[in-house]
Amino acid sequence: MDNDRHVEAAADVGAVPAPYPRPVSGITADLDRVFAVLRQLRELAGDPAAARDDERVYDFSIRWGTLLSGRLERLAHYAARGELTGEQAKRYQELRARLRDAASSAARLDLADPGVVPRLTLPGAPGP
């Protein structure tokens, strides 16, 4: 019986297409999360009392670092591979603009500069 399960498992592995496609919902969730953290940054930087609360800024800096080193890199990767839907690509372009605008707020709180994530060239759109 163990041998039968092994054969079934091997057959299942062969049925998985490669490369593994990125679920559309995962990209959308990443975009939603990044936009939410950018709203939090704007609120934190815009509230002088909160901006002086070292504990609150520290907690936010953890989320900010995770966003920069995780979600943004992943989004840039999938954008470069052309794996975003049309709507996701538009949101990604908007995200890039908001990240540029967020740089001054990040600097005010002594957070890492969000930089500019790689540009996604949409079909028919002018170059950089």
Side-chain angles (χ1 to χ4, degrees):
M1 184 173 269
D2 286 333
N3 194 27
D4 290 340
R5 277 188 283 186
H6 177 68
V7 170
E8 288 174 14
D12 289 343
V13 170
V16 177
Y20 304 110
R22 174 72 172 155
V24 171
S25 62
I27 294 170
T28 299
D30 282 352
L31 286 164
D32 291 344
R33 185 66 186 138
V34 174
F35 278 108
V37 172
L38 283 172
R39 279 191 300 277
Q40 293 170 356
L41 171 64
R42 186 175 58 242
E43 291 167 7
L44 185 60
D47 180 350
R52 286 189 302 274
D53 182 344
D54 289 340
E55 187 173 318
R56 189 168 174 189
V57 172
Y58 176 78
D59 288 345
F60 181 80
S61 74
I62 300 300
R63 289 191 303 279
W64 184 249
T66 301
L67 172 115
L68 294 179
S69 66
R71 293 185 191 271
L72 286 178
E73 286 186 17
R74 186 170 50 222
L75 284 168
H77 169 78
Y78 288 111
R81 290 181 51 171
E83 295 186 26
L84 304 185
T85 66
E87 181 61 30
Q88 290 169 340
K90 289 177 187 173
R91 289 185 71 202
Y92 182 75
Q93 291 300 353
E94 163 117 7
L95 174 66
R96 291 180 71 251
R98 290 195 186 184
L99 284 168
R100 283 190 297 272
D101 293 343
S104 62
S105 294
R108 197 168 328 137
L109 296 172
D110 257 349
L111 301 174
D113 185 337
V116 178
V117 293
R119 177 179 170 78
L120 171 63
T121 304
L122 299 173

